[in-house]
Amino acid sequence: MGSTLRANDASAPFKVLVVGGSYCGLAAAFNLSDLCLGKAARAAAGYEGQDALPKENQPIHAEITLVDERDGFYHVIGSPLVFADKPYAEKAWVPYSEIPSLQAATNIKTVHGSVTSVDMAGKTAVIKETALAGGATRTVDFDFIIVAAGLRRAFPVVPQSGDKAAYLAEVSPHIESVVTAKDGVLVVGGGAVGIEMAAELKLAQPHVKVTLAHSRSRLLSSEPLPDHLAEKTLEIIKENGIEVLLEHRLQETRELGDGAKEVVFTNGHTLRVNAVVVAISQSKPSTDFLPAEAINSEGYVKIQPNLFFPTDVPNYDSALAAGDGVQWSGIKRCGRAMHQGYFAAHNCHQRMQELTSGAPAQYQALKEVIPMIAIALGPDALAYADGGELQYGKEIAERFFADDVGLKICENILGFGKKTEAKV
Ligand SMILES: Cc1cc2nc3c(=O)[nH]c(=O)nc-3n(C[C@H](O)[C@H](O)[C@H](O)COP(=O)(O)OP(=O)(O)OC[C@H]3O[C@@H](n4cnc5c(N)ncnc54)[C@H](O)[C@@H]3O)c2cc1C
């Protein structure tokens, strides 16, 4: 760091670009906004007594630009219910224009578009706005970039639309097809996503026969989770009326006419259904826009424990990354994403203070995360942290997901604020 302090006033604000406005990006933007306005970060209340996070701060002029390809917050965790229930689908996408505390934050603006490239040496990024937002492509400069662009996931694990109207048009035919499936629905894939899709469908539409097929002999076979958890999961979903076919690998689906399909498995078993839902996540980090030296061979950002970029990237101390798209331990979860978003905000703010006052930055460092998971299983849920006790049942469902697959819980943690009467 040089000895000259950086000026910071209304004419020379720090320009912060946040890429991605889901759990992690919103946590980063909101908490950084709070800190720069001289307030305690809204997430700090949940960290009472941990690592002595500060309650008050020197205000810092900042312009935070949050860019997302979607025009709002999409509750990814709720996807399994979104694809089974129209009224819920309506609630699970909250346009940024309807998030009260986002509208109230004077130092955050949102851009509906995609970040297509980042030049770390020049500290610039190219933003391509969506057609709805005007379709312009422009290059913007930044003092800091926070990458929270998560993972790209296939349909029907998540919808692919960029705005709420298109999203509702995208999910409606799918919902219609599963709700009216008189011969039943096959969900393919016994990972967490497939299990939740089968369970939420059965919960929302109890009249539909739901079958879950998995190619392996054990559910959750690709997660670092113990056998007894997989066995309990199997027991619960069977109790909730889902038929489970283990060691069943999908070979082909034949159209039989009249909306019926015959599914053929490689072991010769066949099944007649009306809809097949492929719930295999095939996710990939959304980091194509970053320089190669910032990412590993799988596309994850190689963060340092303080979430800054690796030191061989030019201006690495101006760039942080957090959430599902980073190389860090632990199962990818929204709680982990929000926690990392908050730490990215805290550390970005510390660096701003260092640049403006010379006071050495006091960074929060990520700790290694043990495997932990909470799975929504319709009326039940199951929660586990490595080495701990397996918890399950309706009380666990209430605690982790309440009655809306965790939507209000996440909105509260992120601090959406109260909706106005007109928007309820
Ligand atoms: C079906 C399903 C069920 C799940 N259930 C649970 C659960 O029960 N509990 C749990 O804890 N976790 C669950 N998860 C995992 C959880 O959803 C993720 O951990 C969480 O979404 C990660 O948040 P994130 O903000 O890091 O990334 P994401 O949610 O992936 O968000 C990334 C954002 O960045 C935007 N973006 C991407 N690239 C760009 C770009 N170039 N320019 C602009 N914007 C961009 C995207 O539009 C998106 O809004 C589930 C996941 C799925 C798919």
Side-chain angles (χ1 to χ4, degrees):
M1 193 181 95
S3 56
T4 318
L5 296 180
R6 185 203 189 275
N8 177 249
D9 54 30
S11 67
F14 281 109
K15 291 182 189 164
V16 184
L17 185 64
V18 180
V19 189
S22 182
Y23 306 94
C24 180
L26 281 173
F30 276 139
N31 285 289
L32 186 58
S33 162
D34 293 340
L35 291 166
C36 289
L37 292 171
K39 300 188 276 192
R42 67 192 63 190
Y47 289 71
E48 211 55 61
Q50 292 180 37
D51 300 290
L53 288 153
K55 298 259 181 305
E56 283 173 24
N57 302 284
Q58 199 60 28
I60 285 183
H61 293 273
E63 277 176 15
I64 303 165
T65 304
L66 180 82
V67 187
D68 202 294
E69 295 167 358
R70 298 182 180 132
D71 70 355
F73 168 74
Y74 173 65
H75 185 49
V76 180
I77 293 172
S79 251
L81 189 53
V82 162
F83 283 101
D85 185 61
K86 258 188 200 171
Y88 183 75
E90 169 64 41
K91 285 194 277 185
W93 184 298
V94 188
Y96 294 130
S97 58
E98 293 180 19
I99 299 178
S101 66
L102 190 55
Q103 295 308 307
T106 48
N107 52 4
I108 309 180
K109 68 170 183 186
T110 56
V111 174
H112 186 195
S114 190
V115 171
T116 56
S117 70
V118 171
D119 170 8
M120 282 304 300
K123 298 216 284 188
T124 60
V126 176
I127 300 176
K128 188 172 178 347
E129 289 174 352
T130 59
L132 275 181
T137 298
R138 58 204 161 86
T139 302
V140 296
D141 57 321
F142 59 80
D143 296 292
F144 289 97
I145 184 167
I146 301 179
V147 178
L151 301 180
R152 294 211 180 276
R153 302 175 175 94
F155 179 93
V157 173
V158 294
Q160 306 294 302
S161 306
D163 64 271
K164 186 162 184 177
Y167 149 76
L168 290 173
E170 181 187 1
V171 299
S172 292
H174 180 101
I175 299 171
E176 200 57 33
S177 74
V178 294
V179 169
T180 57
K182 57 184 186 338
D183 294 320
V185 175
L186 173 69
V187 177
V188 180
V193 170
I195 293 168
E196 289 191 343
M197 289 197 100
E200 296 302 327
L201 173 57
K202 190 70 195 172
L203 177 73
Q205 312 296 342
H207 64 283
V208 175
K209 180 176 175 242
V210 180
T211 306
L212 174 69
H214 188 49
S215 58
R216 305 297 178 88
S217 58
R218 197 200 96 155
L219 293 177
L220 297 159
S221 49
S222 55
E223 299 291 2
L225 296 166
D227 287 344
H228 72 285
L229 181 147
E231 281 155 21
K232 193 73 209 175
T233 305
L234 178 64
E235 187 187 313
I236 293 173
I237 59 173
K238 278 181 163 175
E239 269 170 24
N240 289 339
I242 294 161
E243 198 160 307
V244 182
L245 303 173
L246 295 173
E247 296 182 298
H248 274 65
R249 184 179 292 277
L250 184 67
Q251 182 173 303
E252 63 172 315
T253 303
R254 298 180 190 138
E255 294 296 333
L256 298 177
D258 266 354
K261 300 171 200 297
E262 184 181 55
V263 178
V264 182
F265 296 96
T266 52
N267 60 10
H269 185 194
T270 60
L271 191 69
R272 184 186 166 101
V273 293
N274 298 109
V276 177
V277 178
V278 178
I280 299 169
S281 186
Q282 292 166 329
S283 49
K284 184 180 164 302
S286 173
T287 48
D288 296 350
F289 53 91
L290 291 176
E293 61 270 32
I295 58 180
N296 71 11
S297 57
E298 293 171 300
Y300 292 95
V301 185
K302 296 184 286 185
I303 51 166
Q304 303 177 54
N306 62 12
L307 298 112
F308 281 92
F309 274 27
T311 52
D312 56 345
V313 176
N315 292 310
Y316 68 90
D317 53 1
S318 300
L320 304 98
D324 271 14
V326 303
Q327 177 184 305
W328 199 260
S329 52
I331 294 173
K332 293 175 188 66
R333 292 176 306 110
C334 79
R336 175 180 175 266
M338 292 188 282
H339 167 71
Q340 292 189 1
Y342 167 42
F343 271 20
H346 174 86
N347 290 351
C348 182
H349 180 256
Q350 284 291 313
R351 179 70 181 136
M352 289 173 170
Q353 280 188 332
E354 184 172 64
L355 290 169
T356 51
S357 72
Q362 295 186 350
Y363 294 134
Q364 292 291 327
L366 293 180
K367 298 186 173 82
E368 293 302 326
V369 186
I370 57 169
M372 58 176 92
I373 197 165
I375 312 175
L377 300 173
D380 296 280
L382 180 149
Y384 176 78
D386 197 23
E389 192 194 334
L390 185 61
Q391 297 178 293
Y392 52 86
K394 302 204 174 5
E395 194 264 324
I396 297 300
E398 177 57 31
R399 192 187 321 158
F400 284 90
F401 299 102
D403 61 354
D404 58 4
V405 205
L407 176 58
K408 278 191 234 63
I409 295 175
C410 289
E411 289 186 354
N412 286 339
I413 293 173
L414 288 166
F416 276 21
K418 290 225 177 335
K419 292 190 173 124
T420 60
E421 288 305 311
K423 286 172 186 158
V424 167

